[in-house]
Every structure is written in C-alpha cells, then in structure tokens.
Amino acid sequence: MTDSKHLDQHARNGMLSRRGFMKSAAALGIVSATAGAFALPAFGSTPSPSPKRGGHFRLGLSRGSTTDSLDPARFSDVFMQSVGFAIYNYLTEVTPEGELIGELAESWEPAPDAARWAFKLRKGITFHNGKPLEAADVVATFNHHRGEKSQSAAKGIVDPIESIETDGTHTVIFNLKAANADFPAITSDYHMAIMPATDGKVDPNAGIGTGGYILEKLEPGVEAVVTRNPDYWKSGRAWFDKVSFLAITDAAARTNALRTGQIDAMDRVDLKTVNLLKMDPNLSINNVDSDQIYYFAMDTQAKPFNDNNVRLALKHAIDRQDIVDRVLKGYGRLANDQPIGASYLNYADLPQRQYDPDKARHYLKKAGYNSLSVDLSTSDAVFTGAVDAAVIYREHAAKAGIDINVKREPADGYWENVWMKRPWSMSYSSPRGTADWFFSQFFAEDANWNDTNWQNERFNTLLKAARAELDAGKRQEMYAEMQALVHNQGGWVAPAFSAYVSAATKAVGHGKIATNRDMDGNRIAERWWFEG
Amino acid sequence: MNQLLMTVAKRLGLGLFTLLIISMVIFLAVEMLPGDIATEILGQMATPEAVAAIRQELGLDQPIVSRYFDWLSGLLTGDLGQSLATGQPVLELLDDRLINTLYLAGTAALISVPLALGLGVIAALYRNTLVDRAVSMFTLSAISMPEFFIAYVLILFISVQLGWIPSMSKVDADQSLLERLQLTILPAITLTFVTCAHMMRMTRAAIINLLSSPYIEMAYLKGLGPWRIIVHHTLPNAWAPIVNVIVMNLAYLITGVVVVEVVFVYPGLGQLMVDSVAKRDLPVVQAASMIFAATYILLNLIADVVSIVSNPRLLHPK
C-alpha cells in the first residue's frame, strides 16, 4: 500500500510518464484503480505562461461541409470534432502527454476482471439545459452507438460491449464480450460525447452537453459559434468568452484570413508555402508530431500479394525518407510498416526497414518472379499528395525491377469503391488510443477495416491473450511480437507518419499541444487562450 | 401583344416540362453515382450494419421510382423535403444561400453589364484604333485567366497588402446592406473580369455588323454624329444578340461561381450543391438543380421576350 501511495504521489506531481506509470502500476496490480488520480494534476496545474480569460477566438478549419451534423455518431472530420470537444465532455480524456485521465469519469476499475468495467462519475455536473449528469445519461449515450439499429460511425468501436448497466446514480458498468484491459481508452473517442437522456434516449441533434461552451449556432459548412459555459465544472479550462469555428476549405483562403487578422488560428497549413508563412513575424507555426500514418494496403489473400515474399519485396522497394522529404516536405517521420508509433504505450522500437532494391529483388526471386507489374490505386482523397507519393514510390520500385502502375481513382467515393475493394490501394489512419484498439479495428481476423484481409493465427491468438493480460511486462512482450508480425508479414507498406501542422497568431497562447488528434487533440477551444 | 403573351405562356409551359425532365435526369444521375448518403457520411468508418440502418431510416431501401414520385409529390405540394445528412428542411438550407448567391450575382451584374456595354460601344465607335485594341486586349486577357488566379491577385493586393477589404467574404443575414456590399465587392470584381469580355465583344460585333447596313449609311448622309448613330440607330437593332449573351452570363453568375465562393469563403449555393453531391444528399441536390435550371429557363425566356419586343417584325408576324 505504501508503494501504491508513493506511485500515486508521483502521478499527482506529474513526475511519471504514462508508460512509466502504467508499468509500475501494473506491477503493483492496480492498473486502473488509481488511474483516475491523473485527473488532478492535469486540471489543477496551470501551464507555465499564465492564461487570461476572455476574448472572441476565431478558428479557421478545413473540412467543414454543408452536410455536417451535430450528431456525434456522424462526426467525421476536424471541424465537427473540434466543435464537439467544445460543447461535450467524454468519460475519459487524453492529456497532451498522452495519458488517459478521467473527464466525466472520476475513476474506473475492472470489476472484478477486465471483462467488466465500473466507471464512477463525478458528482455535481450539470448539462447546459440544467439536467444533472447521471449514469443513465452515459448508458443512453453509448446505446446511441450500439445495437442493431445503430447508424453510428463508431459502431465498430463499441462492438466489444455486451451490455451496459447502472449501479446507483453515479456508477456505470460495462460488460464486455471478452476481457479487455485497454477498454477505458475507447471512451475517449470523439464519437462518445456524453449527452443528456430523456426516457433512456438521447437527442443527438440538440447539441447539449456538459462542455465548456454552449452552442449558439451551427450553420453547416459556414460556421459554428459557441459561448462560454458560465457554470463549467472544470477550472483552468475554456478561457475564451466566445469561439467561432469557420469552415474555410481553401488553404490559401485560410492563410490569407490568418494573415489579415480575420481568424486567430488555422489547421492544415499548406506545406508548399509553409516556409514563406514562417517569415510573418506575427504568426507561429505549430509542427506537432503525430502518429497519423499513411500507407499502401495490400490484400494478402489476392495474387500476387498472397506471397509474403512479394510483400517483403514491395516493403524494401520504397525510399521512406524520400517520401517524407518530398511529399510531406519534412513534416513527418519514417514509418515502419506497422501502425503503432512512438506515442503508444506499447510501442516496440523495431529496426527501421531501409530502402534496398537488391533485397527487394532477392525477395522477388524467392517468390518466383524476375520482374513484377502491379496496379496501385490511389487518389488525393486519401491525403494531399497521395498521388505524388504513389508516383514517387513507382520510381523507387522501378530500381528493383518492380513496375508499379499507379491508377488514379476519383476522389469521390474513394472509401466506398476503391479502398478495401482493389487489391492494392492507399489509405491513412489517425492514431487510436491503444495498440489493442488499432489492431482490433485493422488487423484482427474479424476487424471491420481489415484492409489487408490479413488472417494470421499467431497474431489473433496474441491479440486476444493480451487483452486479458493485466501484467504490463507480459503485455509489452505480446504487443512487441504483434508489431513485429505486422511489420514482417502484414500487408501494409507504410512509409510515413505525418505531422499536424497548424498556425496561429502570436496573441494566442497554449500549453504543450496534444499529439493524439489534430488541433490539440481537437480540444483547442477548451485548452487555448489569448495572451494578456 | 396577345401574341407575345401567348408565346410567354407557351414557353413557361415548356419550361415546366423541361424542369420535370431535368429533375428525373438529376435524380437518376445522383442514383448512378457510386455509394449513397450512408456510405458517404460514414466514409472510411462505415460498417455494413450502420450503412443498412441509415438506408432503412431514410427510406433508401425503397425502389428508385417510388422515391422519385415521393419527392415529386412533395414538390407539388410545396414541400422540398429534408436534407438527408442533417435532417434540416431543404428550404431552410437554401434560403440564406440563395439570397447570398443572388446578391453576389446582382452586384457583379451591376458592375459588369454596364461596363461591358460601354466598352463595347466605345470599341465599336473607335474600331480598329488603339482604343479598340486596348479594350479588347484587356478584357480578353481577363477572361483568359482562371478566376481563382484573379481572385488571389485581388486578395494579395487589396486585402493583404493594402488591407482595405477583408479577404473572407463571410456575409450573413445580420449585416447591413452596406457591410454586405463591402464584403461582396471583391468576388463581384473577380466575376466582372470573368464575364466582361464575352458581353463586350458581342456588343462590339453586333454594332459593327449593323454599321455597314444601308440605313446607317443614310444616317451618316443626313449628317448625324457617330455617337448618335450608334446609340440611337444601331444599338436598338443590335439588342437581340447582345441580350442573349448578357443573359447567358447572368445565368453563369448564379449557377457557376463555386470556385469564387471557395476562394472568398462566400456562403453561396455553389458550395452547397458541391457538398450535397459529394454526400449524395438527394433532396438538396434536386432543389438546387431546380433553382439553377429555372434560372436558365427564365433568363432565356426574358432574352427572347426582349428580342421580340425590340424587333417589331417579330412582334407582328404575318
């Protein structure tokens, strides 16, 4: 118990990284019981420059659309996600340091094993309409995404939940289909905004949450306006009096609006002109390392990709540094053919795969080919520069005797008709909170988005075993092996993790910027402020 | 005059029929696009069950013919339906944006039409001189540049360097007419650049064409000055072709300015149409295309009426 207290103290003082905490915590067998303690340092300690209350913050965001909806089940891009994190709270929150802390949940613990999780809610929190937050609201919120009739984009995320029940007014119990030590992480997903329930149902279009701002208006594709919630339960958050989210699709239009003082911050700086923008003395560019990954997904059941030698040949036939330099203009890092990056708790630092045309030829020969010609489907719908990346890859692979025929597909309908339909297509993915979350969605045999059609027995066994394993050391070993399996046998050729590059005027202040999602984990309205 | 009313009535009837055909074509075309609202909204995160649930709720599992007639009967009772994506009534979505689009088109037309006519008359008057060449060269260069390029150049000088007018033309219903005008002026000037040449060249050509006719020669012989000849004697007879070109450009100003909208962040109909097509939000696409089609039909009708009225021979056919 003294050990536990000691550890808790360290957590409160912010002296322990998430990885360190989890490892020592698990060693003491208290994985999540004390995890809620992280709530204190994050909310209580103010970041070094002292924030000021007030002002009207205008944020220019790409990707707003006239079809945007307030329903969190339909959030799909940074615009509505950022609005969502302003008006709603979630059970848990990912801090800028990557720790999972309680937000509306005060604490959570496995009850008694990892197949059953009890979340204790904070008391005394009210929704914008005055209704106090209770366990029934959480149940109704999660049921909005679950069940036969669910229309939610998050249906795949809540699949592992068997049933949800309340225990009193402030405890929610999740019964899972199978043990999962990483379950609490998914409650921080941007779809899982807690909404008030009436008769066991939420009204997803009402825009009522417990968040730091109250929705004033949403004009889809134009702007959303929120004003500060005077009764916000967090201290040291939600500094602005008013925040306008402006939908500005064109990067040049965003840049001009920022330079002429019509907005205070913007997302997605045009990387081609970022060096010119840096010369403006009134602006600061935020280059945030992220584990957002860009990749080429091969169908491992389709010829010729069903032969792992072909996959290895293609993995050795790409110069990753060249892609980072020329497509990302240096705003990114090398990826290593598997999705788990350095920000994940269970990251395994595997040796970086190098560009090696000779090795590629060697694997090609092993597969019985002297030369190979394959189609690669791509589109700029995947990310800006995706087609360029494919064409550059084609040049690299040509040196290994591989002819990549780049097929440019229409951006419209790409996810429906091309991705997961063609044998080899390009895709990207935002980071997920945990390795289990990512693997369960993309690499497990029954994954919704198993875009490589990968069926690896050893991997699937390990994935299930790791979920139930509470020993941090053993989990780390298992996840390391899984990462190696994907790296060596999976169907991803992953060249790069891209950075989130945004810009703001120097009048805007902020603490350390989170890496889990764009725009400070989508929490820019809650975390940023105007300097005095 | 009765004849004219008859013509107008007949054309209106035909116009309605055209609208009906267009509504079918658009409905079919959107249907034929791969995917539907369910797959497009869920995007990369779509699961088959969620897609099926959305389809069922929105009635997309019904056969296309019955969905079309549902929509049509709604339209006939004045109900444009609801956006599939947001559940908002389509009318509500359109209303502000339609006003914005008409306001921008109106402002642009108020600048570009008189300018084009004036320049056309001047060019005709001083045909084959340096003035004529300068006018033609200027307007033709303007039309040859893509509109986003003109827009960026205007923003660079007028917004960024001089700081006179904001680069974002974010108009909304709460602004006064004057504020709105200030925000609309840059996109309107951009559109003037794009549309001026066409109208100016047609004015010039139509006038020059008539200048060689005998009655103009007669006017010269009477000793009338060149201005009087052109404005009083030539122009009235040249209206028909000029009005047709003006009308085409007006229709373009209403229906085809999505690039200008994007660059200036102007909340008009174009962006709504593009977003709705991308998400297969059929009721919104249908409503917007009906507006666009009706614009063309009505403006063409107006052009024809003006041609008939300006030409007594058409007004009294034998």
Side-chain angles (χ1 to χ4, degrees):
Chain A
M1 200 57 217
T2 26
D3 279 347
S4 156
K5 259 200 188 128
H6 181 68
L7 185 59
D8 206 323
Q9 200 53 47
H10 272 300
R12 279 166 207 269
N13 295 340
M15 285 165 61
L16 211 51
S17 73
R18 177 181 183 211
R19 197 182 300 188
F21 173 80
M22 293 302 271
K23 275 182 181 155
S24 345
L28 292 167
I30 48 165
V31 180
S32 297
T34 49
F38 273 119
L40 290 167
F43 296 146
S45 69
T46 36
S48 40
S50 67
K52 282 241 162 66
R53 165 78 37 91
H56 178 192
F57 183 57
R58 297 152 306 166
L59 175 62
L61 293 175
S62 59
R63 310 262 179 142
S65 163
T66 56
T67 53
D68 282 343
S69 150
L70 273 175
D71 185 351
R74 292 195 176 175
F75 287 177
S76 65
D77 230 312
V78 63
F79 189 88
M80 283 315 295
Q81 287 161 6
S82 302
V83 175
F85 276 97
I87 57 183
Y88 298 116
N89 287 135
Y90 295 73
L91 281 184
T92 54
E93 167 177 357
V94 179
T95 67
E97 286 76 29
E99 297 157 7
L100 187 74
I101 61 168
E103 192 171 29
L104 291 178
E106 195 172 56
S107 65
W108 55 88
E109 53 189 352
D113 59 18
R116 193 176 145 93
W117 286 88
F119 281 71
K120 260 206 185 75
L121 302 183
R122 277 172 212 280
K123 298 216 166 88
I125 294 173
T126 53
F127 287 98
H128 300 156
N129 62 1
K131 184 189 178 309
L133 169 80
E134 289 184 344
D137 302 313
V138 177
V139 175
T141 294
F142 276 80
N143 283 338
H144 175 53
H145 303 280
R146 296 174 62 233
E148 288 282 297
K149 292 252 163 69
S150 159
Q151 305 181 4
S152 175
K155 191 171 192 305
I157 299 172
V158 291
D159 266 347
I161 302 175
E162 176 74 42
S163 68
I164 313 176
E165 56 198 84
T166 59
D167 175 13
T169 50
H170 282 80
T171 304
V172 185
I173 294 167
F174 294 87
N175 295 304
L176 309 185
K177 290 174 182 158
N180 189 346
D182 277 342
F183 172 76
I186 72 159
T187 62
S188 69
D189 181 76
Y190 61 87
H191 298 100
M192 301 302 158
I194 306 299
M195 297 176 279
T198 349
D199 304 329
K201 284 230 179 290
V202 293
D203 176 3
N205 291 308
I208 292 174
T210 54
Y213 295 91
I214 299 172
L215 182 71
E216 194 176 298
K217 72 164 178 179
L218 169 68
E219 206 180 318
V222 182
E223 73 173 328
V225 181
V226 297
T227 48
R228 186 166 202 283
N229 176 3
D231 305 321
Y232 195 37
W233 60 276
K234 285 186 198 174
S235 60
R237 290 292 190 91
W239 299 99
F240 305 112
D241 290 336
K242 187 172 176 181
V243 181
S244 293
F245 303 84
L246 301 167
I248 311 177
T249 314
D250 184 37
R254 276 199 305 285
T255 312
N256 286 326
L258 186 67
R259 291 193 61 200
T260 56
Q262 297 174 81
I263 55 174
D264 305 300
M266 64 178 266
D267 72 335
R268 291 183 196 237
V269 171
D270 187 350
L271 297 180
K272 291 192 187 101
T273 55
V274 62
N275 285 327
L276 296 171
L277 203 59
K278 274 184 187 160
M279 291 195 275
D280 191 322
N282 302 317
L283 302 182
S284 51
I285 310 287
N286 295 309
N287 173 12
V288 179
D289 237 353
S290 92
D291 281 338
Q292 170 166 275
I293 193 165
Y294 294 159
Y295 62 92
F296 306 83
M298 302 177 270
D299 181 348
T300 56
Q301 308 294 320
K303 269 200 164 185
F305 309 114
N306 55 356
D307 186 336
N308 193 39
N309 288 311
V310 171
R311 304 205 285 271
L312 281 170
L314 286 166
K315 287 174 184 177
H316 282 102
I318 187 165
D319 184 348
R320 292 172 181 76
Q321 191 62 50
D322 198 34
I323 301 272
V324 169
D325 290 344
R326 286 163 71 190
V327 178
L328 302 179
K329 315 280 175 204
Y331 287 89
R333 317 186 315 273
L334 301 192
N336 204 11
D337 300 336
Q338 61 98 5
I340 308 306
S343 76
Y344 287 80
L345 173 67
N346 292 114
Y347 169 63
D349 197 4
L350 304 172
Q352 176 65 46
R353 186 163 281 136
Q354 304 291 340
Y355 175 45
D356 190 339
D358 292 332
K359 249 194 188 150
R361 265 180 213 283
H362 160 77
Y363 283 114
L364 213 53
K365 208 156 261 158
K366 245 171 109 178
Y369 295 97
N370 276 322
S371 68
L372 180 67
S373 178
V374 278
D375 286 350
L376 170 61
S377 294
T378 182
S379 156
D380 274 338
V382 181
F383 58 89
T384 313
V387 176
D388 296 344
V391 172
I392 292 172
Y393 185 10
R394 177 194 157 81
E395 298 305 318
H396 299 156
K399 295 206 180 97
I402 300 169
D403 174 31
I404 297 177
N405 177 24
V406 176
K407 284 173 70 177
R408 187 180 187 149
E409 308 273 0
D412 184 278
Y414 181 86
W415 301 112
E416 164 71 3
N417 305 306
V418 180
W419 181 60
M420 292 187 57
K421 300 276 193 306
R422 302 270 193 279
W424 200 17
S425 62
M426 278 183 85
S427 181
Y428 82 100
S429 177
S430 312
R432 304 296 197 263
T434 60
D436 172 65
W437 186 348
F438 208 114
F439 284 149
S440 304
Q441 289 199 323
F442 286 84
F443 290 91
E445 52 195 331
D446 53 353
N448 278 310
W449 304 295
N450 185 349
D451 54 8
T452 54
N453 231 331
W454 200 46
Q455 311 289 342
N456 187 296
E457 219 172 293
R458 174 72 187 150
F459 179 88
N460 289 321
T461 315
L462 277 170
L463 187 62
K464 288 198 190 97
R467 283 181 195 145
E469 179 60 64
L470 291 177
D471 180 276
K474 283 190 189 146
R475 278 169 68 83
Q476 176 60 28
E477 265 172 42
M478 289 174 175
Y479 283 115
E481 189 181 342
M482 280 186 259
Q483 287 167 65
L485 281 170
V486 175
H487 171 79
N488 290 320
Q489 296 177 39
W492 275 25
V493 179
F497 293 109
S498 84
Y500 297 128
V501 187
S502 64
T505 65
K506 293 235 162 98
V508 180
H510 55 78
K512 181 179 188 303
I513 299 176
T515 62
N516 61 320
R517 303 199 65 83
D518 201 0
M519 302 318 274
D520 208 348
N522 294 144
R523 286 177 183 265
I524 180 165
E526 175 165 306
R527 288 178 179 163
W528 290 29
W529 63 82
F530 280 121
E531 301 280 7
Chain B
M1 210 55 199
N2 263 343
Q3 201 77 36
L4 186 64
L5 283 180
M6 278 288 287
T7 317
V8 170
K10 229 192 284 174
R11 290 288 300 273
L12 278 178
L14 269 176
L16 282 179
F17 183 68
T18 315
L19 277 184
L20 185 75
I21 303 282
I22 290 173
S23 75
M24 284 188 223
V25 171
I26 303 276
F27 205 95
L28 257 179
V30 176
E31 260 328 289
M32 278 160 62
L33 288 175
D36 60 21
I37 183 95
T39 58
E40 295 314 307
I41 280 200
L42 298 177
Q44 200 188 4
M45 296 291 101
T47 49
E49 300 87 13
V51 167
I54 292 185
R55 281 187 186 147
Q56 201 195 349
E57 156 130 358
L58 297 175
L60 297 178
D61 45 357
Q62 305 293 315
I64 172 168
V65 180
S66 86
R67 276 188 293 131
Y68 176 74
F69 282 105
D70 278 352
W71 174 81
L72 192 65
S73 63
L75 181 74
L76 293 179
T77 56
D79 175 17
L80 287 172
Q82 277 135 21
S83 156
L84 299 180
T86 61
Q88 262 182 302
V90 172
L91 210 60
E92 221 171 83
L93 277 176
L94 288 178
D95 125 41
D96 277 353
R97 287 177 176 259
L98 180 61
I99 292 172
N100 293 346
T101 288
L102 291 179
Y103 192 89
L104 174 58
T107 315
L110 277 181
I111 305 174
S112 73
V113 173
L115 186 69
L117 287 181
L119 287 176
V121 169
I122 290 174
L125 195 59
Y126 302 104
R127 59 192 171 280
N128 302 329
T129 65
L130 210 62
V131 177
D132 178 22
R133 291 212 183 96
V135 168
S136 286
M137 204 164 84
F138 180 72
T139 53
L140 287 175
S141 318
I143 203 177
S144 311
M145 286 186 277
E147 49 210 311
F148 64 83
F149 177 72
I150 298 174
Y152 284 149
V153 170
L154 284 176
I155 288 177
L156 174 64
F157 288 110
I158 296 181
S159 301
V160 177
Q161 302 210 333
L162 295 172
W164 288 348
I165 299 173
S167 67
M168 265 203 308
S169 305
K170 219 186 75 50
V171 296
D172 65 51
D174 306 332
Q175 289 158 344
S176 71
L177 211 62
L178 205 70
E179 274 177 290
R180 211 170 233 264
L181 188 68
Q182 199 205 8
L183 290 176
T184 316
I185 200 79
L186 281 188
I189 292 176
T190 309
L191 290 172
T192 301
F193 273 97
V194 182
T195 52
C196 218
H198 200 183
M199 293 186 281
M200 171 265 158
R201 293 289 293 179
M202 186 48 96
T203 309
R204 179 184 178 276
I207 292 175
I208 290 178
N209 203 17
L210 285 172
L211 284 181
S212 55
S213 33
Y215 83 96
I216 298 294
E217 229 161 294
M218 183 63 206
Y220 272 118
L221 293 175
K222 273 199 313 193
L224 295 181
W227 264 107
R228 206 177 145 78
I229 288 177
I230 284 184
V231 176
H232 280 261
H233 296 269
T234 322
L235 207 50
N237 282 313
W239 273 128
I242 295 175
V243 166
N244 269 305
V245 169
I246 290 179
V247 156
M248 261 183 58
N249 280 290
L250 289 184
Y252 168 80
L253 286 179
I254 294 176
T255 61
V257 299
V258 62
V259 173
V260 173
E261 282 179 17
V262 168
V263 173
F264 287 103
V265 201
Y266 189 91
L269 274 184
Q271 189 61 46
L272 178 71
M273 179 82 162
V274 169
D275 282 353
S276 305
V277 171
K279 296 274 161 58
R280 321 282 189 257
D281 197 342
L282 204 62
V284 184
V285 177
Q286 286 285 68
S289 19
M290 288 298 98
I291 291 175
F292 290 162
T295 306
Y296 269 97
I297 291 169
L298 283 179
L299 285 174
N300 271 315
L301 180 62
I302 292 170
D304 289 350
V305 171
V306 171
S307 311
I308 292 172
V309 172
S310 74
N311 187 339
R313 273 176 304 182
L314 291 177
L315 204 52
H316 304 287
K318 281 185 188 134

